Amino acid sequence: PATAAPAGTKKVIANLFEWNWPSVASECTNVLGPKGYGYVQVSPPQEHVRGNQWWLAYQPVSYRIESRKGTRAQFQSMVNTCHAAGVKVIVDAVVNHMSGQDAGGTGWAGSSYGHYNYPGIYQSQDFHYCGTSGNEIQSYNDRWQVQNCELVNLADLKTESDYVRTRLATYLNDLLSLGVDGFRMDASKHMPAADIAAIKGKLSRSAYIVQEVIYGAGEPIGPGEYTGNGDVHEFRYGKDLARVFRSERLAYLKNFGEGWGHLPSGVSSVFVDNHDTQRDVGGVLTYKDRGIYALANAFMLAWPYGSPSVMSSFTFSNRDAGPPSDGNNKTLDTTCYSGWECEHRWPVIANMVGFRNATEGAGVTNWYDNGNNHIAFSRTGKGFVTINDEDSAVNGRSYYTGLPAGRYCDVIHGTYSNGSCSGPVITVDSGGWFAANVPAHDAIAIHVGARL
Ligand code: ARE
Ligand code: CA
């Protein structure tokens, strides 16, 4: 029954944050395609302010596809290479604003600019001046301010104007002409949903859309009002998951997702952490949590809620520091496990992408919990996982999977390839049961795509 590639639809996103284009291309060929990732999300590709901080990529200076991550030709080649590997490309699209530089300057690709002057693109009449001090957002409880004032001094575009919408669509259509498959709409909360709809309406073809709207308790603008345009990031997911793993009980995850007040599954984009939450307070799990982070990602990939995205980070201790770069702040090629964490390659996480693909569409059955931190569930007829986050092992127990009898690779501890398993093999009997020991803070996962 062994198959070479995971069955089912490939929907998992790998977020290769701040990787340069040649490195993204080779990762698509060597890792993302073979491991079954369906999409790669890349950082903003347009010309940006010069300097070292990672966040300068979020300060557009022009829409030339030339940045510290590479040239237009390298970007095009990356898209082609990823497509050849069966991986679609999502671009982080910065459309709410331009730079936050009061003095202006010269951008990465040589374009000169002022805070409210981007020659040939936007002039002062294309920006909002909301009248607060510094034109800055002062309260997230004020809908009008959030959408018409400046987010951290970033020159706020008049996204209600047809000229601005058309110019933004021209940029996005240029990316579509290079073969891009979708967009993460940065700072979506800061644009009315209708403005995003109008920009989307000017696109030359259909594209996947995921909008960044951070849920904030009590705020007037919430993620739910953007679902008409496409998917929306569900920020409560990573926060709630971290709290459960850190200080509550995994047993509570029985109805995780909509049962917790999160967005409807079909429009929800989820992650354990992203590039903002891993840096800022919020208590999410990150690569720094090592094994528990891997288990949280394993749960996300096993649990059929939302569209999962796996974060891949560069190593940082300082919030602002950019990725490894040369003396001119040009991003160096990625070297996994040296300056880059490559969480998407961690065996537990990468192998659970195959689990996700093989179990796509199957519901949850056979939920078990011990009332505390040991849980188990089946993905009907396709897979089974048990996570033991207790401080001690659970030994000598049998688990009911409902799976066809057979020998399955435990993909938490072994990698399945070409019909063999590099780790322990789990034998499911004719009644659908298996017996195994699960160490503390560990898991076992089996699925029909990794059956020997
Ligand atoms: C940097 C400096 C600033 C400086 C500015 C202009 O830090 O001091 O004024 O440059 O020179 C990223 C970085 C920022 C950086 C910015 C521009 O995180 O530090 O500013 O790039 O270079 C809100 C938004 C949400 C946004 C977060 C960060 O709603 O959209 O803030 N997230 C996206 C990206 C970020 C990016 C931007 C937007 C800007 O993912 O990486 O900023 O393009 C509550 C609210 C949230 C709010 C949150 C934080 O939780 O509910 O809505 O998020 O507080 O304020
Ligand atoms: Ca705005």
Side-chain angles (χ1 to χ4, degrees):
T3 48
T9 328
K10 305 195 301 171
K11 292 184 181 162
V12 183
I13 301 168
N15 179 3
L16 301 189
F17 178 59
E18 282 297 319
W19 286 42
N20 71 22
W21 309 142
S23 294
V24 172
S26 65
E27 200 68 2
C28 278
T29 306
N30 299 323
V31 177
L32 302 183
K35 281 297 181 183
Y37 286 94
Y39 295 85
V40 61
Q41 183 185 310
V42 299
S43 291
Q46 87 296 320
E47 180 178 13
H48 52 75
V49 170
R50 292 184 178 180
N52 169 261
Q53 296 93 335
W54 62 267
W55 39 255
L56 293 171
Y58 291 89
Q59 299 192 29
V61 159
S62 81
Y63 297 122
R64 291 171 62 186
I65 309 301
E66 183 151 356
S67 71
R68 62 177 155 217
K69 295 180 286 290
T71 62
R72 182 179 182 90
Q74 288 174 315
F75 183 88
Q76 173 74 83
S77 159
M78 175 275 288
V79 173
N80 294 345
T81 303
C82 289
H83 284 174
V87 180
K88 294 180 174 157
V89 179
I90 298 171
V91 164
D92 197 341
V94 184
V95 296
N96 171 65
H97 52 260
M98 297 298 280
S99 85
Q101 307 297 316
D102 291 331
T106 303
W108 176 269
S111 305
S112 52
Y113 68 95
H115 196 185
Y116 304 110
N117 176 19
Y118 300 83
I121 309 176
Y122 302 121
Q123 308 302 306
S124 56
Q125 72 273 7
D126 298 315
F127 295 95
H128 288 139
Y129 308 99
C130 79
T132 61
S133 151
N135 291 312
E136 190 66 25
I137 296 167
Q138 285 167 345
S139 168
Y140 275 86
N141 292 320
D142 183 328
R143 169 183 293 271
W144 188 84
Q145 277 192 17
V146 171
Q147 297 181 329
N148 295 276
C149 294
E150 294 177 358
L151 166 64
V152 292
N153 202 39
L154 300 163
D156 199 62
L157 285 164
K158 274 189 184 162
T159 48
E160 69 274 26
S161 102
D162 191 60
Y163 173 77
V164 168
R165 289 173 176 181
T166 301
R167 190 63 194 82
L168 290 168
T170 301
Y171 165 51
L172 301 180
N173 283 331
D174 182 36
L175 290 168
L176 291 177
S177 79
L178 296 173
V180 160
D181 303 281
F183 302 110
R184 168 199 183 264
M185 305 294 279
D186 180 67
S188 290
K189 186 192 282 183
H190 304 276
M191 298 175 280
D195 292 5
I196 296 175
I199 295 162
K200 187 183 169 191
K202 291 176 185 282
L203 297 183
S204 54
R205 60 175 167 82
S206 68
Y208 173 73
I209 301 276
V210 55
Q211 300 155 97
E212 189 230 9
V213 183
I214 302 178
Y215 172 84
E219 289 186 20
I221 308 172
E225 68 188 75
Y226 290 81
T227 56
N229 295 329
D231 284 5
V232 184
H233 289 318
E234 177 50 272
F235 280 82
R236 285 168 288 193
Y237 186 97
K239 261 178 127 168
D240 287 343
L241 196 58
R243 202 178 62 248
V244 166
F245 269 90
R246 287 224 163 93
S247 57
E248 294 179 349
R249 301 166 178 207
L250 267 53
Y252 296 171
L253 295 172
K254 187 173 187 172
N255 64 345
F256 198 55
E258 289 162 18
W260 286 50
H262 299 169
L263 290 166
S265 180
V267 292
S268 179
S269 159
V270 299
F271 39 77
V272 177
D273 62 331
N274 82 349
H275 69 280
D276 286 332
T277 65
Q278 71 178 184
R279 285 177 169 73
D280 293 325
V281 227
V284 300
L285 295 163
T286 74
Y287 72 83
K288 296 177 187 185
D289 295 288
R290 313 313 300 178
I292 294 301
Y293 182 72
L295 284 186
N297 273 277
F299 174 80
M300 173 181 76
L301 292 165
W303 187 249
Y305 170 84
S307 212
S309 182
V310 172
M311 180 67 194
S312 190
S313 319
F314 62 81
T315 311
F316 67 91
S317 47
N318 166 332
R319 182 201 186 266
D320 298 324
S325 56
D326 72 11
N328 295 317
N329 297 314
K330 186 171 176 312
T331 306
L332 296 177
D333 291 346
T334 301
T335 45
C336 279
Y337 313 127
S338 170
W340 303 82
E341 297 295 327
C342 298
E343 300 93 310
H344 70 288
R345 280 195 192 183
W346 294 8
V348 168
I349 297 174
N351 290 343
M352 284 303 287
V353 174
F355 182 106
R356 181 73 170 207
N357 291 339
T359 58
E360 181 69 34
V364 171
T365 40
N366 306 320
W367 174 272
Y368 161 83
D369 66 70
N370 67 346
N372 201 42
N373 281 312
H374 182 205
I375 61 171
F377 57 93
S378 300
R379 296 291 305 280
T380 314
K382 302 286 189 185
F384 173 88
V385 63
T386 178
I387 301 176
N388 174 29
D389 200 30
E390 299 284 353
D391 292 332
S392 54
V394 177
N395 292 329
R397 204 183 167 284
S398 288
Y399 297 87
Y400 179 69
T401 67
L403 291 177
R407 300 174 69 238
Y408 295 83
C409 188
D410 169 10
V411 298
I412 298 289
H413 299 99
T415 294
Y416 174 81
S417 84
N418 297 322
S420 69
C421 178
S422 67
V425 171
I426 297 287
T427 302
V428 173
D429 69 19
S430 57
W433 292 78
F434 74 88
N437 299 334
V438 193
H441 308 292
D442 208 333
I444 291 175
I446 59 177
H447 64 85
V448 294
R451 193 174 159 195
L452 283 86

